[in-house]
């Protein structure tokens, strides 16, 4: 009984299980990384723009610091100084971006 | 324009056919580790890694000169694309977060210039200078 089962099992694993496993992961891998040529160019552009804007922001930060005769401040750590009626505005944008994030 | 996420042989930095240097360029690992790993794999599993090496070296395209040029102009670009090959979604999120960061910094500057304190300080300065 066992002698008859082992070759059948071995052959079915070798010729059905293994190709299935490989093809399964190949299809998964192909689905996972699908950046088309246009996506690539777009990402390249966005990355470039982000970096240029970042440089400009640094320049503007320095200009403003020099203008106000103060050392450049770390903008990230500053508390929100706006009056409440202005703060409401950003909260709605935050909510909107959170909704966008959920969509993504 | 050549594909940025494709695999290329790195003939310029390669020793033999540029396969190991190409893998290093593609993944961002150090080329030395990949070469050492390749040698050990060849010793342990002779001759299959060697065959794989030759097939890749024969089949893959050499890296185009335009990509070398853009990477020489901007070394950070190379790291960016290595990360993109590993995880496209993550780099897209990183670009988005950098845009968010710029937006926040701009908002802070706008705030400094539109806040009542700033107006008051400017008016006091004007009075002093007059």
């Amino acid at each position: 009984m066992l002698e008859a089962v082992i070759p059948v099992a071995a052959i079915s694993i070798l010729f059905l299980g293994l190709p299935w496993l490989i093809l399964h992961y190949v299809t998964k891998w192909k689905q996972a990384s699908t950046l088309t040529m246009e996506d690539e160019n777009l990402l390249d552009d966005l990355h470039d723009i982000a970096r240029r804007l970042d440089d400009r922001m640094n320049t503007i930060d320095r200009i403003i610091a020099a203008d106000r005769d103060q050392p450049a401040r770390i903008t990230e750590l500053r508390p929100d100084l706006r009056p409440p009626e202005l703060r409401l505005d950003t909260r709605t944008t935050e909510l909107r971006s959170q909704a966008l994030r959920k969509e993504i | 324009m050549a594909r940025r996420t494709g695999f290329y042989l790195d003939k310029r930095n390669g020793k033999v056919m540029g396969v190991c240097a190409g893998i290093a360029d593609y993944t961002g690992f150090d080329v030395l580790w990949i070469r050492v790993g390749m040698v050990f794999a060849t010793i342990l599993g002779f001759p299959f890694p060697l065959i794989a090496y030759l097939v890749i070296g024969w089949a893959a395209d050499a890296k185009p000169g335009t990509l070398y040029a853009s990477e020489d102009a901007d070394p950070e670009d190379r790291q960016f694309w290595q990360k993109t090959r590993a995880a496209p979604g993550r780099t897209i999120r990183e670009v988005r977060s950098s845009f968010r960061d710029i937006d926040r910094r701009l908002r802070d500057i706008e705030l400094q210039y539109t806040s009542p304190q700033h107006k008051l300080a400017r008016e006091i300065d004007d009075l002093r200078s007059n």
Side-chain angles (χ1 to χ4, degrees):
Chain A
M1 181 60 198
L2 202 67
E3 288 88 60
V5 169
I6 285 172
V8 171
I11 284 168
S12 59
I13 286 169
L14 209 66
F15 288 97
L16 295 174
L18 217 62
W20 180 78
L21 197 76
I22 290 166
L23 288 175
H24 175 74
Y25 279 103
V26 164
T27 46
K28 259 196 154 180
W29 170 67
K30 283 204 167 166
Q31 278 170 358
S33 58
T34 46
L35 270 185
T36 63
M37 194 77 197
E38 291 89 59
D39 290 343
E40 263 176 47
N41 291 337
L42 188 68
L43 186 60
D44 200 20
D45 267 2
L46 283 176
H47 177 60
D48 223 42
I49 292 167
R51 288 183 56 204
R52 262 182 289 154
L53 279 176
D54 199 47
D55 286 348
R56 295 231 166 100
M57 282 306 301
N58 286 336
T59 316
I60 286 173
D61 273 347
R62 276 201 298 276
I63 289 170
I64 286 173
D67 186 37
R68 309 187 106 210
D69 224 356
Q70 280 171 3
R73 46 174 90 191
I74 304 159
T75 47
E76 280 86 346
L77 297 175
R78 282 184 55 231
D80 203 341
L81 296 170
R82 276 172 303 183
E85 62 269 19
L86 282 173
R87 263 179 231 169
L88 192 76
D89 189 11
T90 53
R91 208 173 61 212
T92 51
T93 53
E94 280 301 311
L95 282 175
R96 205 179 64 218
S97 53
Q98 270 171 14
L100 281 173
R101 208 175 304 151
K102 270 173 200 156
E103 274 174 29
I104 293 160
Chain B
M1 193 182 155
R3 271 199 87 101
R4 307 298 300 264
T5 53
F7 175 79
Y8 297 110
L9 300 178
D10 192 352
K11 296 270 186 195
R12 197 174 68 174
N13 302 314
K15 294 255 188 228
V16 184
M17 288 170 89
V19 175
C20 288
I23 293 168
D25 186 42
Y26 186 84
T27 56
F29 290 119
D30 194 278
V31 67
L32 179 67
W33 290 114
I34 291 173
R35 285 199 182 113
V36 169
M38 180 67 204
V39 167
F40 276 107
T42 308
I43 291 165
L44 292 175
F46 193 80
F48 298 107
L50 203 65
I51 292 168
Y53 184 94
L54 292 173
V55 168
I56 294 169
W58 169 75
D61 293 327
K63 196 167 166 178
T66 52
L67 292 190
Y68 279 125
S70 72
E71 280 170 10
D72 287 342
D74 191 2
E76 199 264 347
D77 220 36
R78 192 173 165 207
Q79 288 175 6
F80 175 77
W81 284 107
Q82 280 166 357
K83 278 194 287 180
T84 309
R85 284 175 212 125
R90 203 184 63 198
T91 50
I92 291 167
R93 281 193 292 277
E94 275 176 18
V95 169
R96 186 184 62 181
S97 77
S98 67
F99 272 114
R100 285 237 173 97
D101 187 53
I102 291 161
D103 179 51
R104 198 176 56 229
R105 289 162 72 187
L106 261 181
R107 190 198 67 191
D108 282 353
I109 287 170
E110 187 192 336
L111 203 102
Q112 277 185 29
Y113 277 84
T114 53
S115 68
Q117 287 99 319
H118 180 261
K119 272 184 196 159
L120 196 66
R122 208 173 49 192
E123 278 165 18
I124 290 168
D125 278 353
D126 283 348
L127 284 175
R128 273 196 190 141
S129 60
N130 286 336

